[in-house]
Amino acid sequence: MLSDYKKLTLNSLTLYNIASRIMPYGVSSNYRYFEPYPLYLSRGKGSRVWDVDGNEYIDFNMAYGALGIGHSNPKLVKILKEKLENGTILGFEFADTLKLAKIIKSRFNVDMVRFSSTGTEATMHSIRIARAYTRKKKIIKFEGHYHGSHDQLLVNVSPEKNEVMKKSISSYGIPYDVVKNTLIAEWNNYESVEKLVKKEDVAAIIMEPIAMNMGLIKPDVSFLKGIFSLAKEYGFLIIFDEVKTGGKFYSGASGYYGLKPDLITLSKAIAGGLPLSVIAGKKEVMRVVGPNKTAHGGTFSANPLSVTASIVTLTQILTENSLYEAYKLNSMLSKGYQDFADDLDLDLTVSMWGTSGSIFFSKVLPKNYREFSEIDQRPWYKYFWLMLSNGIIPMADYDEQWTISTQHTKEDIMKHLEIAENILKKVKEEFKYR
Ligand SMILES: Cc1ncc(COP(=O)(O)O)c(C=O)c1O
């Protein structure tokens, strides 16, 4: 409960009081702030993290999915120590980048690749490339999908209930003019896309192929395929933002669904916790990038440490086998929650894909942001505070999901479930479910 969290995290509170005077809300990313004050961590190892009060947690947030290989993975640590001796950034192109480009090309079924450092940069560049290639302006995004913190896609990310499907800008400081070419469609609603592409001259549609910023909401396969047919008919590009999904299934969601979008973006787990992102896709589209053509740059793009980390991560750690093992643990965790829902007669639904999953305190799985926004959040927050106070970080926030890393064990899952069962009983008592 909140009072337990406060008792256990006095040093976090002290740090917050100091930090919030020199850093807005005491954090480096808005998403790390939560009420009443954020948790300050000091280290991580394997499946665990420790906070500044010395509390140990089994971590299922895994840096918002960026740590598919777990904390401080020994294989990565060893090679990075060696590589540090050769420089951090070199200014000119680092030779091993080509090796990584080849790995990405064959694993994610793309023709050409460019590297940046963050997911935000990758999606920002992807829409510029799509506009340059099609010479059109309009971009469709889905309500509830998040593509990073650049202006043009910060629209209808998490609108209030009464603002659903009315165009709303998700941050102060973004003039309407900047987002007037961003159009909003509803996830799993084919007609909402069709209506827009019939009326407007659309350059591209960008989507999280599995929505992971409103829990975890999968697309209907017919809906996804329908969008590919519309793209052919109306001549717009499809961008899969695989910043999250790319590290949770061997060849990402595009591989899982057997689809080839025009462009994909990758980041988070693919470099084992170092900053690296990818914009990749079909040859003819990627070829618009270049000097005096379409801008793409970055001092830190493909820095040697991130490139090395990504090569090791993709070839030695996030392998098909290890991802399958993590998937099995994920199935065990998801089934555990499903069993509690049945046994305790709870209004609880579970959604899983690859190495991630999430729970919703509702009778049926939400299909889109509208349904997600209608779920009462209070039981979730009670569950969250109790899990934290019992040494489990179940996920980072209400709209997030858990990630099973290659360092989680069966014992971690069993411990998680044992604690969750007791907590769900308390949630049921307080909210009188059913
Ligand atoms: C699907 C998706 N795309 C893009 C981003 C932005 O990535 P970054 O935080 O590295 O800028 C995120 C971040 O959570 C994301 O979930």
Side-chain angles (χ1 to χ4, degrees):
M1 233 139 47
L2 202 48
S3 54
D4 294 329
Y5 176 73
K6 286 182 177 167
K7 263 187 239 149
L8 290 166
T9 57
L10 290 174
N11 289 336
S12 276
L13 175 60
T14 307
L15 273 188
Y16 171 65
N17 286 334
I18 301 166
S20 55
R21 280 185 232 133
I22 50 171
M23 297 159 69
Y25 287 77
V27 287
S28 309
S29 162
N30 282 356
Y31 305 106
R32 292 186 202 153
Y33 176 80
F34 53 82
E35 297 283 345
Y37 51 85
L39 191 61
Y40 290 85
L41 299 183
S42 48
R43 69 191 178 93
K45 181 103 192 105
S47 61
R48 315 276 157 142
V49 288
W50 288 264
D51 70 12
V52 288
D53 288 270
N55 299 308
E56 177 177 318
Y57 304 85
I58 312 180
D59 184 11
F60 290 85
N61 169 39
M62 283 291 152
Y64 295 79
L67 279 173
I69 67 167
H71 294 276
S72 194
N73 191 293
K75 277 192 184 140
L76 188 61
V77 171
K78 182 168 175 293
I79 195 138
L80 284 182
K81 277 185 180 159
E82 288 161 21
K83 285 285 171 176
L84 254 179
E85 303 281 343
N86 296 338
T88 49
I89 49 171
L90 302 172
F92 291 87
E93 196 67 12
F94 174 48
D96 281 1
T97 308
L98 174 61
K99 272 192 211 158
L100 180 59
K102 285 183 177 166
I103 294 166
I104 304 267
K105 178 171 154 51
S106 72
R107 182 160 171 159
F108 294 97
N109 189 23
V110 289
D111 306 329
M112 293 185 94
V113 181
R114 272 280 176 108
F115 295 97
S116 284
S117 299
T118 63
T120 296
E121 285 173 276
T123 63
M124 180 185 80
H125 283 111
S126 74
I127 60 172
R128 183 185 298 144
I129 292 169
R131 282 172 165 154
Y133 178 75
T134 57
R135 298 173 183 241
K136 299 180 195 174
K137 288 192 279 201
K138 308 270 176 182
I139 303 286
I140 300 178
K141 82 170 281 286
F142 287 100
E143 185 167 60
H145 289 211
Y146 175 65
H147 303 290
S149 57
H150 58 94
D151 289 359
Q152 296 193 40
L153 298 178
L154 272 179
V155 184
N156 288 56
V157 173
S158 46
E160 296 293 330
K161 250 195 262 180
N162 55 349
E163 294 283 302
V164 164
M165 285 310 282
K166 293 179 198 153
K167 191 166 178 182
S168 63
I169 300 178
S170 307
S171 167
Y172 293 174
I174 303 177
Y176 184 78
D177 279 1
V178 175
V179 298
K180 68 174 192 285
N181 291 312
T182 309
L183 312 173
I184 305 302
E186 191 174 51
W187 191 231
N188 275 321
N189 179 347
Y190 172 83
E191 284 74 31
S192 76
V193 179
E194 190 184 35
K195 207 165 100 193
L196 288 175
V197 298
K198 274 188 172 163
K199 202 167 85 196
E200 310 267 4
D201 208 11
V202 172
I205 186 163
I206 184 166
M207 70 181 89
E208 297 181 57
I210 313 272
M212 291 205 192
N213 283 285
M214 42 178 173
L216 191 161
I217 307 184
K218 289 187 260 191
D220 289 335
V221 176
S222 60
F223 162 73
L224 263 193
K225 294 205 167 146
I227 294 176
F228 277 74
S229 305
L230 285 175
K232 243 194 198 156
E233 194 180 339
Y234 292 91
F236 61 89
L237 301 190
I238 296 183
I239 308 170
F240 271 15
D241 175 359
E242 298 236 35
V243 163
K244 276 190 164 175
T245 48
K248 296 179 176 187
F249 183 81
Y250 183 71
S251 46
S254 31
Y256 176 81
Y257 287 113
L259 294 168
K260 191 169 163 87
D262 301 285
L263 290 169
I264 64 165
T265 58
L266 300 162
S267 191
K268 294 209 194 267
I270 60 157
L274 274 83
L276 182 106
S277 63
V278 172
I279 311 113
K282 294 184 179 163
K283 213 184 307 176
E284 62 274 22
V285 181
M286 288 299 289
R287 284 227 158 101
V288 300
V289 176
N292 303 321
K293 298 199 294 183
T294 310
H296 168 254
T299 306
F300 290 102
S301 292
N303 78 83
L305 288 184
S306 296
V307 167
T308 305
S310 186
I311 293 173
V312 175
T313 297
L314 294 178
T315 58
Q316 296 181 37
I317 316 177
L318 278 188
T319 58
E320 217 158 355
N321 279 347
S322 68
L323 278 166
Y324 183 60
E325 291 306 313
Y327 163 80
K328 284 198 287 188
L329 293 181
N330 189 26
S331 305
M332 183 180 161
L333 185 61
S334 304
K335 180 172 182 313
Y337 272 106
Q338 190 55 59
D339 289 347
F340 297 151
D342 299 340
D343 298 348
L344 301 173
D345 204 14
L346 268 176
D347 286 349
L348 182 87
T349 44
V350 189
S351 179
M352 74 162 273
W353 181 80
T355 56
S356 268
S358 72
I359 54 170
F360 302 95
F361 285 90
S362 67
K363 269 197 184 71
V364 286
L365 282 173
K367 288 194 303 297
N368 54 37
Y369 182 81
R370 179 195 305 275
E371 292 180 8
F372 175 71
S373 73
E374 280 164 5
I375 301 171
D376 181 3
Q377 297 188 9
R378 292 167 310 152
W380 189 89
Y381 278 103
K382 168 129 189 162
Y383 152 85
F384 177 68
W385 290 118
L386 284 168
M387 291 292 278
L388 269 193
S389 315
N390 282 279
I392 306 277
I393 301 179
M395 55 198 80
D397 209 340
Y398 179 68
D399 49 10
E400 284 289 323
Q401 57 291 133
W402 63 69
T403 295
I404 307 300
S405 78
T406 58
Q407 293 197 74
H408 280 96
T409 61
K410 204 170 166 187
E411 288 67 39
D412 291 334
I413 307 294
M414 278 158 38
K415 185 82 193 156
H416 182 137
L417 288 172
E418 181 193 316
I419 288 171
E421 182 174 21
N422 287 328
I423 287 173
L424 290 177
K425 282 180 188 157
K426 290 186 185 150
V427 172
K428 180 174 176 176
E429 259 164 46
E430 181 165 336
F431 293 94
K432 302 272 180 297
Y433 268 100
R434 286 204 185 142

